[in-house]
Every structure is written in C-alpha cells, then in structure tokens.
C-alpha cells in the first residue's frame, strides 16, 4: 500500500510544470540560442545568424496562466509572440484581470498577435471571413493601442480548418507580415525550421522542415542539444501547472 505521506512519482511524460518549462528555456539560452519573436524573424531571416529560436505562445484557454509565462520570459530576458483569441468561451480578453495581463504582455515588450478563428466565425455567423479578420484585428489594435502584424490560425473543436483561408491569400494582402504557418518566402518559418510544440498536452511533437518526426517525444531542452540552426517553438499556457494537471 502506498504510504499516505509518499507523493506518487510523476511519469516522465508529464513533465509539464512551470518549473520544467523554465528549465527548458534556460537550456535554450545556455546552448547559445538567440530567442526572438515571430515579427523579429521576418527581419532576422534576411541576415546571417548562428542559432535562433522563435518563441510563440498561443493563448487557447487561459490568460491567467499566460501571466506565469510572461513572468518567466521576463526573468530570462526573452521576448515571445503571444496570440490572443477574441471569441473563446474559455476567457474574455476584456475582463478586468485578463486585460491587465494583456497589457503586461504588451508593456513587457512581447509581440501580440491575433489567434484567428475566421473560418469558424464565417460559418457560424454567416459572415465573410475577410470581414471577420479585419474587424478582429481592428478590435485588438484599438483595445491595446498596438499594430498587429501577425496572425496564427487556431485549431478548435468545429472540425473546420482556419488555415484554409490562407490557401490563396497572402498576409501582405491585409497589411500583415505573416501568418504563423505561412509558406510565402517572406516568412515560411515552419518549412525552414525544426518545429516543436506542446500541443499534444502530455507529450511533445516535432517536425523537421515541415515533415513530422514520428515517435520523437523529446522535450525542448533535449532538442537544443542537436544544434538546429532555427527552432520554432510553440507552447500553450494551459498545458502547464505548478502541482498537478487539474489545478
């Protein structure tokens, strides 16, 4: 019988505490990587560099947990790109506390982008997706007194693919620098990097220059040992916790 004073050992696969993710980014810095935003990548890709990591954060469900990541990045001196939903049932970006956190992200020098659900909106509301995109960008710009230059398409529960909007369109058509999976030569980060994401919740997944690495569940700190010249990391605040998965 398990001693009631003995804490069960966390399986290796569940190393997703805020402490772990901070360790991983410390390892990135110790490995000699320059950590930049998606916006900065547009300029950096035109120059010579040794090793860079593009840090992206999609706020799918929790602005409150995003605050912990902002504080972590600030401790490490890292700037990241945070993408915000406007129509999530899970959070209201205009709530008193969430708005304070979004201003903290902005005032800490991080990039803020739009986490787009425009195909979902278009079908549900019977509205043109372009109208939805331009309206939402305008709302975020006015809300935070910023100028958004990047969009990351959200993958939700509708079964619709918000990336479909970009099949025959360019970010520049809308005054933007990039869409996060944009294959246009001005960005094309996904296809020209080692991409690693926590989006499977309990394990990492990765792609090498656009091709999935089957059964490779190593974490970010383990991958930096391979010295990829360009790493594209995507994390989500709600994946992480202090004590347990359901806190």
């Amino acid at each position: 019988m398990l001693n009631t004073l003995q804490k069960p050992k966390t399986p290796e696969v569940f190393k997703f505490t805020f402490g772990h993710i901070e360790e991983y980014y410390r390892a990135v810095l110790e490995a000699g990587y320059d950590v930049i935003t998606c916006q900065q990548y547009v300029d950096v890709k035109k120059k010579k560099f040794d090793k860079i990591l593009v840090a992206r954060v999609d706020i799918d469900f929790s602005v409150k947990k995003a605050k912990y990541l902002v504080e972590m990045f600030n401790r490490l001196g890292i700037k990241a790109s945070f993408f915000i939903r406007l129509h999530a049932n899970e959070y209201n970006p205009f709530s008193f506390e969430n708005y304070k956190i979004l201003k903290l992200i902005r005032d800490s020098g991080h990039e803020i982008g739009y986490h787009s659900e425009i195909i979902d909106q278009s079908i549900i509301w019977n509205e043109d997706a372009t109208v939805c995109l331009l309206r939402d960008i305008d709302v975020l710009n006015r809300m935070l007194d910023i100028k958004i230059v990047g969009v990351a398409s959200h993958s939700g529960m509708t079964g619709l693919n918000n990336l479909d909007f970009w099949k025959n369109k360019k970010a520049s058509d809308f005054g933007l620098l990039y869409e996060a999976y944009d294959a246009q030569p001005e960005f094309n980060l996904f296809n020209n990097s080692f991409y690693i994401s926590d989006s499977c919740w309990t394990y990492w997944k990765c792609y090498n220059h656009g091709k999935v690495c089957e059964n490779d569940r190593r974490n970010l700190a383990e991958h930096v040992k391979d010295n990829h010249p360009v790493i594209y990391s995507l994390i989500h605040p709600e994946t992480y916790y202090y004590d347990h998965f359901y806190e």
Side-chain angles (χ1 to χ4, degrees):
M1 180 180 290
L2 182 69
N3 188 317
T4 56
L5 297 179
Q6 179 184 350
K7 189 173 182 179
K9 184 179 179 181
T10 302
E12 291 295 308
V13 75
F14 287 111
K15 285 192 172 182
F16 284 95
T17 69
F18 285 106
H20 285 120
I21 193 61
E22 184 160 351
E23 287 177 12
Y24 300 161
Y25 276 98
R26 286 188 186 277
V28 167
L29 295 174
E30 290 169 0
Y33 281 86
D34 291 315
V35 180
I36 62 174
T37 66
C38 293
Q39 180 178 356
Q40 289 172 324
Y41 177 74
V42 176
D43 293 324
V44 169
K45 74 187 296 287
K46 302 173 186 176
K47 306 172 184 176
K48 291 182 179 180
F49 53 82
D50 292 322
K51 294 190 295 185
I52 59 170
L53 181 141
V54 182
R56 171 180 155 199
V57 180
D58 286 358
I59 306 178
D60 282 1
F61 304 130
S62 176
V63 177
K64 179 180 178 180
K65 284 194 169 186
K67 180 182 180 182
Y68 304 141
L69 292 181
V70 174
E71 293 169 341
M72 175 196 78
F73 286 137
N74 289 350
R75 281 194 298 274
L76 297 175
I78 289 174
K79 302 304 180 192
S81 298
F82 288 78
F83 293 88
I84 301 164
R85 296 171 68 190
L86 279 183
H87 310 289
N89 287 331
E90 294 81 7
Y91 68 81
N92 173 13
F94 291 93
S95 74
F96 290 109
E97 188 59 25
N98 286 347
Y99 180 61
K100 280 181 61 179
I101 294 169
L102 295 180
K103 289 204 299 179
L104 172 65
I105 295 172
R106 178 198 66 190
D107 295 344
S108 297
H110 302 284
E111 179 188 5
I112 291 178
Y114 171 46
H115 206 19
S116 160
E117 300 174 89
I118 51 179
I119 296 295
D120 297 329
Q121 294 167 240
S122 175
I123 299 300
I124 294 169
W125 296 341
N126 193 28
E127 294 184 358
D128 184 83
T130 297
V131 172
C132 294
L133 173 67
L134 294 175
R135 180 177 59 213
D136 284 357
I137 289 173
D138 184 55
V139 167
L140 273 174
N141 283 341
R142 290 172 180 267
M143 173 187 181
L144 293 165
D145 192 24
I146 58 176
K147 186 179 187 307
I148 286 172
V149 298
V151 167
S153 297
H154 176 65
S155 177
M157 303 297 291
T158 64
L160 301 168
N161 187 349
N162 289 294
L163 269 173
D164 286 346
F165 177 81
W166 300 98
K167 284 182 176 179
N168 58 356
K169 299 179 180 67
K170 296 181 179 181
S172 58
D173 296 339
F174 305 94
L176 301 168
L177 292 180
Y178 68 88
E179 197 286 329
Y181 295 106
D182 193 342
Q184 297 295 325
E186 293 82 5
F187 194 67
N188 203 20
L189 176 56
F190 180 71
N191 293 315
N192 286 300
S193 68
F194 184 85
Y195 172 90
I196 178 169
S197 171
D198 64 7
S199 55
C200 293
W201 288 80
T202 58
Y203 61 90
W204 295 86
K205 67 176 181 180
C206 57
Y207 293 74
N208 194 6
H209 290 79
K211 295 183 179 180
V212 66
C213 302
E214 298 286 354
N215 301 315
D216 189 342
R217 298 186 177 184
R218 290 178 294 162
N219 63 50
L220 179 59
E222 292 169 320
H223 280 297
V224 298
K225 296 176 183 177
D226 294 336
N227 288 311
H228 300 284
V230 181
I231 295 178
Y232 186 12
S233 77
L234 168 61
I235 62 174
H236 302 77
E238 46 280 348
T239 303
Y240 300 91
Y241 51 87
Y242 282 105
D243 184 50
H244 62 84
F245 190 82
Y246 291 109
E247 66 187 13

